[in-house]
Every structure is written in C-alpha cells, then in structure tokens.
Amino acid sequence: MSSSGAEALSASMQNQLIQASHETLTMLEVSKAKIENLIDGIPNAFAIINEEGTILKGNRFLAELMGVDVEEALHRNLFGVFDEVSAEIFRKSLREGGARELEIPLRDRKGNDRIFAWKVDEFQPENRSSFKGYVVFGSDVTATRENEKRLAQVFSSVPLGIVKVDDKLVIQEPYSQYSKNLLGIDDLSGKSIFDVLFKRVWSTLTVQQQEAVKMLYSVPNNSVIQFELNCEALPSLVQLPVESEGATIERWIGISYETIAFNGIVSELLIVLEDRTEIERVGRENRRSRDEEQKILTRFTALRKLDTQLRETVMEDLSQSFERLEQITSKKKAISIVHALHAIKGVARVGNFEELKNLAHETEAYCLGLGEEIAGNWEGVVESLSTLKVVWREWQLLFRALSSSDEVPGGSARQSSLSGLRPYLSRLVESTADSLGKDVRLDCSIFDQSLDLSCLHVIKETLQHVVTNAIDHGLELPERRKELGKNPQACLNVGLQLFEEDFVEGIVADDGAGLNTVSLKKKADTEGIPYDSGDEKSIWQVIFQDGVSTKDAITTTSGRGVGLAAVRQSIEELGGSIEVSSRPGQGTRFRFVVPRFDTKREK
C-alpha cells in the first residue's frame, strides 16, 4: 500500500474512533441526565455529603427545603437546616459510623416546623480511597406524626382499650390510655399482648381458645379471609386479675379483633378491649335471680305433687333426720354423720326432692372420702353441712307457706300411728322403681297401732333402706324376669304387726334374685370382715357392715354400703334387732323388731 493510502486509512480510523467516543460521551451524558432527573424526582431529600456536612450532591427536594436552587445547594452545609442541638445530634450520628436511622425536626424556608426521618449510610467512591462521605435520605413524616398525635388524643379519651400489635404480637404506639387502666400496667409499649393479657388468663381458656391464640403469631402476612376463619375460636371474654389500690380485683374484659390489611393481606392486628365487669355483674345477678326463682318453683312443684298427708309425713321425717344430724355432728364421727346423711337422702328421694337428695349425696361422699381424717378437716365438713342445713330451712319456709298451720313438722307430739305409712311406702316404691326402670307391685299389711315418734322414725328409716335395696339390688328388670320365667312385674311384700305387745315386727320380702353369697364373701374379704364360710347365715349378716354393698356402681340410690349399716345401728340403739335370709333366685326376706315405746328416752 502506498503511503498516501495508509494515511487515508489512518485518518478514517481516527474519525471512527472520534465518532465512537462522541457517541459514548453522548450516551453517558444522557445517562447522567436521566440519573439527575431520577434523583431530582425523588420525593424525599437526597444528598451526598462529606464528613463536615458539606453537600456534594443534592436533589431538587433538598434545595427547595433550603430555599435555593439545586446548583446553589451544592457546597452548602446540610447542618444549616437544623438548629444547633439537632445539628450536633446529626454530627454525632455520622461519627458513630455505619448505617443510621434518626428522626430530627427542622424548620423550612417558609418557617414551618417539619419532622424528618433520616437514613444515613457511609459512601466511598472506588477511585477515591481517601474520601469519606455519606449518603443521606430524609423523608417528611410530619403528616404521619400529626395523624398519630391526633389518634393518640382520641385514644386518650375513648373508654376502650385499643392496642396495635405487630407480627410478634408486640404492642406498638400509639395505644389508648384506657388500655393501661384495663390491664393494670403503666407502660405497654414494647410488651407482648400475650404476656400482658393472654398469659394471665391462660389456665381459664379452653384448649381450642389456647390454640387460636397461638395462631395469632401467624396472622400478619396471611389473608384477611384466613384470619376471619380462625377468629371465632379466639377468646372474646376473660376474667383478668388486676392489682388496684393494693388489692387484687377480678375484671371482666371483652376482646374483639380487627385487621389492618393491604390488598387483602394482614399487616398488623388491632385488639380492642372493653371493661365488661359491671355488665357481667348485672348479668350474673340476673341469672342468679332467675336461678333462685326457678329453684323456688321446683321446690314448690315437688311439694305440691305430694298429697297433704304424704307431704307432712316426708317433711316430718326430714325434720327428725336433720335433728338427729345436729345431735351427732358434735361427735365428729364420720360414719355416724354419713348414716344421718344417708337417711336424709332416702327421705328426700321419697318426696322426689331432687335438690335435697343430690346435696345430701354430695355431702355424704365428701365425709366418706375423709374417713378417719374427718377431725382434721372439720371446717370443711361444717361448711358442707351448713350448706345442706340452709337449703333445708328454705324448704321448711316454703312448706310453712303451703301448710294450713304455722308449726314446722317435728313438733311436740310424742306419739303417732303406723297407718300413715301406706302412702309413704307407695310413694317410695313408685319413685324408686320408676327411676330404675322396674315394674314392682307393693303388697302392704300394716296394723294400726300408736307408738313413739322416735320409734316410728326408725321404722320408716328401716323400711326406706330395706325397700330401696330390695328394688335396686334384688328385683330384676322386667326383661330379665321374663328370661327367668318369672312374672315381669316383681312383687314386694311389706308387713308390720304387733309382736309381744310392746314391739313391732316388720317383714320385707321380695321375689328377686336373692343374695349373692360369693359376692358377699368377696366383699367381706376385701374389707377384712370376719365370717363363718361354712355358715350361710353368717355370710348374709355381712350386708349390715359399713362399706359393704352388693352393687359395684355408686348412685344416689345406693352403692356406698351405708344404708343397711345405719339401719342396724338405729334399731339396736332402740333395743331392737334385724336379720336377713335369702334363697338364690327366689328372693330375700328381712325381719326386724322394734319397741313401740322409746324407754331410753323416758329414762
């Protein structure tokens, strides 16, 4: 190639390089302009400053904040927009190094006080290792803080506890001042709503409610729909112990839950607390009043269902039973108290007085549970017996209102007749058989003779327990009797007659299954009760021992092994006796002898 050709080629390449460089510079200028426009378009203050606070780069928002144009803002000191105290805080933040967030107020060129949230981070260009600068972003949060201030003012006056919690259930400001009063905690900020509320009532929540509370931790970032599905299981009313003026009070807190959501996704949770203590108090009083009215109505109905003679008989027996209970309470002997309670329970069952029957049954169970430890728990026994006696007095008052006489049964008359036992026994058999699903025919033969009330009471008590045991333990269900070839209707014979002039002989015989000697021997062995294994009569007598029952299940009817033991004790205290005989598959027969007159009392 000639020298002229080479020179032409070289000139062409130089032109291309110059053109490429120009295009590159143009592109850089365009990119720089775009970056400048982006920076100017940022709706927050932006600056790059050196360690002294001199502005090396800034945007239009910052310049307007300073009251100058962008070019004039360069090389000015950023700290000039702050007062001396705020400027020093900013300088200190720079000296500490690293990324920083701080909230510092300033006054703009128009004289308006504004609050800015600043983010500061270190900035060091790669080609200037000796240079140390900072990138600064400032967001105007004045409106946000004003809204929070107004919200706080509302919170301080509204009579509701309103707290906002984050995804860790930590309480965020602002929250209503009333929340502190409700929860009894002075400062809630930064505390977990679980600790200040749910943890304090955890043991009172159901398992379902506890699981729902645990799920609150996963509510943020989940859908509103998912929260609403789980919301129904959350506790809506709790009883919270709160310290107030040196004392602990129980405060009822109503709880509702609201979501703060964006595009259907929960970001935060709002929990609203309401003091429902007074509402609950009034509600409980109303419920208590309704319960009392219903209780009185139930008692009244039970008394009215009985004919006059039977009503008076049942109330008289109960009166004597409670008098006996009062007399033996001072002895602090569990088994005697249990016997008296068992008698009360039996009479209450005859009258269909369910309240008295169940309460006597519960008190009996409590005393039996104490056993020999009854003296060490005497206060609890007295409290249980007092509750029973209060209920009995209420029954007496209602009976007075129904009676033509103002005298409470169990008065001064010392003698009565056996003839009144017929309706009593009929009622006893009917109520017991119905409750057990059995069909029983009562055949009664009672002579009409006068005797002391104390003796009559023992006879009634004996019949009550023996008849109840016969129906419950001895007589089979109709279906079983059919299978055995027996009449589906069981038969119970009760006879009372004069014996040796000054005694009453009683016979109670049934056509049931008879005594199970194998079961009785097993019970005796378990309880350590002696008997002659070769003498069937000796085995039968085991049923008169405390704690022995031919039934395994305990009910309000029988099963504790108390009734027959109490009967034998009462009869023997009067100078009488009781015995039993039985034939397997054919029935059981009780015979007892009781004096007509209480000679011990006369003495």
Side-chain angles (χ1 to χ4, degrees):
M1 181 180 293
S2 64
S3 60
S4 59
E7 291 175 357
L9 179 61
S10 176
S12 174
M13 291 178 65
Q14 288 179 0
N15 288 334
Q16 290 179 5
L17 288 172
I18 291 171
Q19 185 177 354
S21 298
H22 177 73
E23 291 177 354
T24 301
L25 288 173
T26 301
M27 291 174 64
L28 289 173
E29 289 294 334
V30 170
S31 297
K32 181 181 178 183
K34 287 182 178 180
I35 292 172
E36 295 287 348
N37 288 333
L38 285 173
I39 292 173
D40 279 341
I42 295 174
N44 297 305
F46 167 80
I48 297 177
I49 62 174
N50 62 17
E51 291 179 282
E52 288 74 31
T54 302
I55 299 172
L56 305 178
K57 182 68 179 176
N59 67 347
R60 185 176 292 110
F61 188 98
L62 177 65
E64 291 176 354
L65 193 64
M66 302 176 71
V68 297
D69 58 30
V70 176
E71 294 299 325
E72 289 182 79
L74 297 179
H75 306 297
R76 289 200 176 196
N77 196 296
L78 178 64
F79 301 146
V81 298
F82 306 113
D83 59 31
E84 291 184 9
V85 175
S86 298
E88 182 55 36
I89 292 173
F90 212 120
R91 290 190 188 95
K92 182 179 179 181
S93 176
L94 295 182
R95 290 195 295 269
E96 290 174 352
R100 290 284 184 274
E101 292 186 13
L102 60 162
E103 196 167 291
I104 300 178
L106 56 79
R107 179 166 292 181
D108 64 15
R109 62 187 179 85
K110 296 181 180 180
N112 298 318
D113 291 325
R114 299 164 70 177
I115 302 172
F116 272 72
W118 300 94
K119 293 184 178 180
V120 182
D121 203 357
E122 293 182 3
F123 171 74
Q124 187 172 10
E126 294 182 1
N127 59 347
R128 295 180 63 183
S129 59
S130 61
F131 174 78
K132 186 176 183 180
Y134 302 90
V135 177
V136 179
F137 282 95
S139 303
D140 188 351
V141 294
T142 306
T144 301
R145 297 297 175 261
E146 285 296 322
N147 288 336
E148 289 178 350
K149 184 178 179 180
R150 285 194 293 270
L151 186 60
Q153 290 173 344
V154 172
F155 278 3
S156 65
S157 60
V158 69
L160 289 172
I162 304 175
V163 296
K164 184 174 64 174
V165 298
D166 62 12
D167 58 347
K168 294 181 176 60
L169 300 188
V170 174
I171 298 173
Q172 307 294 305
E173 290 189 351
Y175 52 81
S176 70
Q177 295 300 305
Y178 199 65
S179 304
K180 300 190 297 185
N181 298 333
L182 283 179
L183 299 174
I185 298 176
D186 291 335
D187 184 13
L188 295 174
S189 182
K191 290 184 171 64
S192 167
I193 191 66
F194 179 83
D195 291 334
V196 301
L197 176 59
F198 297 117
K199 186 177 180 180
R200 294 160 65 184
V201 298
W202 194 252
S203 62
T204 66
L205 303 181
T206 66
V207 174
Q208 187 180 17
Q209 288 174 329
Q210 291 176 353
E211 292 301 318
V213 170
K214 292 177 185 177
M215 291 183 66
L216 285 178
Y217 286 98
S218 61
V219 167
N221 303 319
N222 279 341
S223 69
V224 175
I225 295 175
Q226 185 65 39
F227 170 77
E228 290 176 349
L229 290 174
N230 297 325
C231 188
E232 290 184 3
L234 287 166
S236 58
L237 183 69
V238 297
Q239 190 174 13
L240 183 71
V242 178
E243 293 293 328
S244 177
E245 299 179 356
T248 301
I249 61 172
E250 297 293 331
R251 181 172 288 157
W252 287 94
I253 306 291
I255 312 173
S256 58
Y257 310 82
E258 300 293 338
T259 57
I260 301 173
F262 181 74
N263 291 333
I265 303 298
V266 179
S267 59
E268 292 175 308
L269 195 61
L270 205 64
I271 297 180
V272 182
L273 310 174
E274 178 187 5
D275 189 351
R276 295 186 60 86
T277 305
E278 185 62 19
I279 296 173
E280 285 299 307
R281 184 189 66 79
V282 173
R284 286 198 304 274
E285 287 182 356
N286 289 338
R287 288 191 294 272
R288 190 181 299 114
S289 178
R290 288 196 298 269
D291 290 345
E292 286 298 319
E293 290 174 0
Q294 183 59 46
K295 191 182 295 181
I296 292 172
L297 180 60
T298 302
R299 292 171 181 170
F300 180 82
T301 303
L303 286 167
R304 291 290 292 177
K305 280 184 176 180
L306 303 176
D307 63 58
T308 303
Q309 184 181 2
L310 183 56
R311 181 165 64 236
E312 291 177 354
T313 300
V314 169
M315 292 298 288
E316 180 180 302
D317 287 349
L318 281 171
S319 182
Q320 292 187 21
S321 296
F322 272 97
E323 284 178 9
R324 182 183 176 199
L325 177 64
E326 190 71 33
Q327 291 167 5
I328 64 176
T329 298
S330 59
K331 298 179 182 178
K332 297 186 180 181
K333 191 175 180 182
I335 197 62
S336 296
I337 294 174
V338 168
H339 287 173
L341 290 169
H342 201 74
I344 291 170
K345 182 174 68 173
V347 178
R349 185 171 59 250
V350 174
N352 200 24
F353 300 165
E354 289 294 317
E355 179 190 18
L356 268 179
K357 181 188 74 174
N358 293 333
L359 191 53
H361 182 73
E362 292 168 7
T363 310
E364 176 190 37
Y366 175 68
C367 292
L368 272 175
L370 295 176
E372 296 301 322
E373 302 296 324
I374 191 169
N377 297 273
W378 190 243
E379 288 185 4
V381 174
V382 170
E383 184 178 349
S384 297
L385 294 176
S386 296
T387 302
L388 180 62
K389 291 171 185 176
V390 167
V391 172
W392 164 237
R393 284 195 292 271
E394 291 172 355
W395 276 84
Q396 285 181 305
L397 291 173
L398 188 57
F399 174 71
R400 278 183 181 155
L402 289 172
S403 177
S404 58
S405 171
D406 289 334
E407 184 181 353
V408 179
S412 61
R414 291 191 52 196
Q415 293 189 1
S416 185
S417 170
L418 286 171
S419 60
L421 284 176
R422 291 179 184 276
Y424 181 89
L425 285 170
S426 296
R427 175 72 179 186
L428 174 62
V429 171
E430 179 185 353
S431 61
T432 306
D434 287 348
S435 67
L436 297 171
K438 298 181 179 181
D439 186 5
V440 182
R441 185 184 80 251
L442 173 65
D443 290 336
C444 238
S445 174
I446 299 176
F447 80 110
D448 189 7
Q449 288 289 330
S450 63
L451 67 167
D452 281 357
L453 281 176
S454 57
C455 299
L456 178 61
H457 179 70
V458 170
I459 291 174
K460 283 182 180 178
E461 184 181 349
T462 301
L463 290 173
Q464 173 210 312
H465 290 301
V466 172
V467 167
T468 299
N469 275 22
I471 298 173
D472 192 11
H473 299 205
L475 298 178
E476 306 93 342
L477 289 165
E479 296 77 9
R480 178 56 179 161
R481 291 179 67 85
K482 284 182 182 179
E483 293 172 1
L484 296 171
K486 293 183 177 183
N487 187 333
Q489 185 181 55
C491 181
L492 184 65
N493 292 292
V494 177
L496 292 172
Q497 61 186 3
L498 195 62
F499 178 72
E500 294 182 356
E501 190 174 345
D502 290 331
F503 289 86
V504 174
E505 179 188 51
I507 303 292
V508 178
D510 66 67
D511 64 346
L515 295 178
N516 187 330
T517 55
V518 175
S519 176
L520 283 174
K521 288 165 67 175
K522 184 178 178 181
K523 294 277 186 180
D525 292 338
T526 301
E527 298 294 329
I529 300 170
Y531 64 92
D532 184 352
S533 59
D535 183 359
E536 201 169 36
K537 290 184 179 180
S538 174
I539 299 171
W540 293 337
Q541 302 311 307
V542 169
I543 65 173
F544 294 114
Q545 298 294 323
D546 282 313
V548 175
S549 174
T550 55
K551 284 194 68 175
D552 294 325
I554 296 175
T555 66
T556 55
T557 303
S558 63
R560 296 195 191 279
V562 172
L564 292 179
V567 163
R568 187 183 67 169
Q569 179 180 331
S570 298
I571 289 176
E572 290 180 350
E573 284 177 356
L574 276 179
S577 63
I578 184 169
E579 59 186 32
V580 62
S581 59
S582 178
R583 288 193 294 175
Q586 297 185 45
T588 303
R589 179 179 183 270
F590 285 87
R591 175 182 180 271
F592 61 90
V593 176
V594 176
R596 291 174 57 196
F597 306 106
D598 189 351
T599 55
K600 293 182 179 181
R601 176 174 175 175
E602 290 174 354
K603 292 178 182 179

